[in-house]
Amino acid sequence: MNIDDLIKESEMELKDKFKEIDDLAFRTSEKVLNAFRNNNVSQAHFNSTTGYGYDDLGRDTIEKMYAEIFGCEDALVRSQFISGSHALTVALFAFLRPGDLMLSITGIPYDTLHEVIGIIPNNSSLASFGIKYDQIDLVNNEFDEAKIIEYLQNHDVKLIEIQRSKGYSSRKSITIDKLEKIINSIRKVDKKVIIMVDNCYCEFVADKEPVAVGADVMIGSLIKNLGGGIAPNGAYIAGRKDLIELAAERLTVPGEGREVGPTLGINKQIAQGLFFAPSAVASSLKTAVLTSMLLEKLSYNVEPRWNEPRADIVQNIIFGNPNNLIRYCQGIQMGSPIDAFAVPQPWDMPGYEDKVIMASGSFTQGSSIELSCDGPIREPYIAYQQGGLTYEYGKLGVKRAIEELMKKDN
Ligand SMILES: *Cc1c(COP(=O)(O)O)cnc(C)c1O
């Protein structure tokens, strides 16, 4: 069967799944629209500040909208966060003090946090400040609840980190239902521990978000889901008011906190990105589901399968060999609007231990709500594909990548 027919056939089979995704996007869009209306957003909010950035009405209003949409007391949404990793770093340094113990209950955290925590030595790590770290691995993709509870009963843990999206691992991502269940169990034995959720790639994939199910704070990047492909950079931290204040004082200056931080003209893009985010996430989900079905029909191993519950917008294809991974990523690049002529190669990306290949023909550098595909060059050679600002462009990119893959197999 040729690729166009295979796509047509798959789209027929995915009708109900796509309807589910559209219905979800309708509900999240309604939340977003209500936040705009409830906060009386107007042209005045698109004005800009420079210098110290005092009294930035747009910035402060965007933060109120984030808090409302995610059911949080407060939120910090700033372009001074240079990435999701930076926001996670600021949060960890803001909440933890020398002698404190941090516990990850989703195994080893995302690659870029290894030097932050001190898992890989770094003179500026949390460990270098005397902050201790421990982790409990998932077992068969589930929280090791008994071990977590026992650990909490025998140690004074200051902060629990939960990473929902799989990062560059081969585990499954954590759905909101699983998150809610483990938080309820933790709260039965420890009311005080700060529960911090790395929510990268998970926003608007379900009706509920981590703080609404009991987490204290959630963190993510604006060049992923919530920027809707429009925000030029930045990240957010949302949750308990006291924690947001600590994070603001760490990000800027103790005593100045959230009162400073110029927006340099990007308020409109951040607001408009939020407005588009529910649809961009829906397009990404449809692209992911289609990819999963197509590649499975072509006898590749995929995770998640098309009909499995999804916690994030990431689609894995487990290639099992470096050549197919590289070819597929190169095909995604060829099917992208920007730098379609470039041929991505594995390289030593800062913050990552293995060589990484990264296809990202995006308007915003490194944006992964735009169709993108990457993966470390290590066993079992998994492609991590995500994004698709519109389903049509997502489909075109994936089609191009499959054509590259087939060319090689012939
Ligand atoms: C993307 C991501 C991050 C942050 O990455 P940045 O590229 O620094 O924004 C952190 N955790 C997970 C699970 C991610 O997917």
Side-chain angles (χ1 to χ4, degrees):
M1 196 186 287
N2 78 37
I3 176 74
D4 289 309
D5 291 339
L6 196 65
I7 290 175
K8 268 197 203 114
E9 176 196 276
S10 299
E11 284 179 321
M12 291 294 286
E13 291 171 54
L14 289 170
K15 248 192 178 147
D16 290 347
K17 192 74 201 168
F18 281 12
K19 175 73 167 64
E20 231 177 75
I21 294 170
D22 287 334
D23 290 347
L24 170 72
F26 179 77
R27 295 190 299 273
T28 47
S29 294
E30 192 172 28
K31 269 193 240 173
V32 169
L33 182 60
N34 284 339
F36 275 81
R37 296 170 58 233
N38 294 340
N39 287 281
N40 295 328
V41 175
S42 70
Q43 286 293 333
H45 294 102
F46 304 148
N47 291 340
S48 176
T49 52
T50 54
Y52 299 125
Y54 295 132
D55 299 318
D56 194 309
L57 191 65
R59 179 193 69 205
D60 297 349
T61 303
I62 286 165
E63 291 179 339
K64 286 195 185 108
M65 286 199 284
Y66 265 65
E68 178 182 324
I69 291 164
F70 299 115
C72 301
E73 290 176 5
D74 206 350
L76 199 60
V77 184
R78 299 289 167 122
S79 64
Q80 282 79 23
F81 288 126
I82 56 112
S83 63
S85 302
H86 184 213
L88 288 159
T89 302
V90 166
L92 290 170
F93 276 91
F95 306 154
L96 296 164
R97 296 290 176 272
D100 282 348
L101 172 60
M102 161 189 180
L103 175 69
S104 163
I105 59 169
T106 39
I108 193 155
Y110 192 67
D111 298 48
T112 55
L113 294 182
H114 297 182
E115 286 186 57
V116 174
I117 294 167
I119 298 168
I120 295 177
N122 182 298
N123 287 334
S124 299
S125 68
L126 290 165
S128 79
F129 286 86
I131 292 158
K132 292 168 285 183
Y133 168 79
D134 208 348
Q135 71 186 41
I136 296 176
D137 291 336
L138 296 169
V139 177
N140 296 326
N141 294 306
E142 303 290 337
F143 287 108
D144 193 344
E145 187 173 327
K147 196 162 173 186
I148 293 166
I149 298 303
E150 195 203 301
Y151 193 96
L152 289 171
Q153 286 168 334
N154 292 296
H155 298 81
D156 188 10
V157 179
K158 176 74 173 290
L159 179 145
I160 291 179
E161 203 237 1
I162 302 175
Q163 179 187 312
R164 293 187 63 198
S165 191
K166 66 190 70 165
Y168 284 147
S169 80
S170 50
R171 68 160 166 99
K172 287 185 196 293
S173 297
I174 309 286
T175 61
I176 197 77
D177 294 340
K178 283 188 188 176
L179 183 70
E180 181 166 21
K181 201 166 152 280
I182 195 69
I183 291 175
N184 288 338
S185 304
I186 291 169
R187 282 302 176 221
K188 281 189 193 130
V189 296
D190 194 334
K191 303 251 182 294
K192 269 197 354 253
V193 65
I194 298 168
I195 301 177
M196 175 177 131
V197 176
D198 176 349
N199 205 38
C200 279
Y201 285 136
C202 297
E203 300 91 355
F204 290 152
V205 172
D207 287 292
K208 289 197 264 184
E209 301 287 344
V211 173
V213 301
D216 293 299
V217 66
M218 60 190 236
I219 297 169
S221 164
L222 297 198
I223 62 170
K224 295 182 178 173
N225 301 20
L226 288 183
I230 311 271
N233 85 322
Y236 75 91
I237 304 179
R240 250 167 55 189
K241 199 169 197 60
D242 59 321
L243 297 177
I244 299 307
E245 189 170 315
L246 282 169
E249 303 253 310
R250 179 72 273 166
L251 171 64
T252 70
V253 180
E256 299 183 26
R258 69 181 319 150
E259 302 301 323
V260 294
T263 49
L264 309 174
I266 66 163
N267 282 338
K268 182 175 168 227
Q269 286 160 285
I270 300 221
Q272 204 166 13
L274 177 64
F275 189 73
F276 275 108
S279 324
V281 169
S283 299
S284 301
L285 285 171
K286 287 182 191 171
T287 304
V289 167
L290 176 74
T291 304
S292 183
M293 182 177 268
L294 288 174
L295 275 289
E296 183 173 317
K297 285 183 180 201
L298 293 168
S299 305
Y300 291 95
N301 288 321
V302 293
E303 203 291 312
R305 295 194 57 215
W306 68 271
N307 57 353
E308 275 183 277
R310 278 170 197 264
D312 58 24
I313 61 168
V314 181
Q315 179 61 47
N316 285 167
I317 309 147
I318 301 113
F319 280 116
N321 71 72
N323 286 342
N324 280 353
L325 168 61
I326 291 167
R327 294 294 297 200
Y328 187 86
C329 288
Q330 289 174 344
I332 289 287
Q333 185 79 33
M334 291 174 198
S336 300
I338 312 299
D339 294 332
F341 55 85
V343 183
Q345 304 291 340
W347 68 298
D348 290 306
M349 213 165 106
Y352 297 82
E353 288 136 62
D354 295 283
K355 279 191 189 309
V356 175
I357 180 156
M358 195 158 269
S360 174
S362 55
F363 289 85
T364 296
Q365 191 188 89
S367 165
S368 45
I369 186 63
E370 300 180 52
L371 183 66
S372 48
C373 190
D374 40 73
I377 308 298
R378 67 176 178 230
E379 296 263 8
Y381 304 102
I382 303 174
Y384 296 79
Q385 179 191 294
Q386 58 277 314
L389 285 184
T390 72
Y391 171 64
E392 290 75 16
Y393 291 128
K395 177 161 84 173
L396 285 164
V398 170
K399 182 184 161 193
R400 189 75 194 80
I402 290 174
E403 284 166 354
E404 269 319 288
L405 207 52
M406 312 250 258
K407 227 189 250 169
K408 192 234 152 207
D409 282 349
N410 286 339

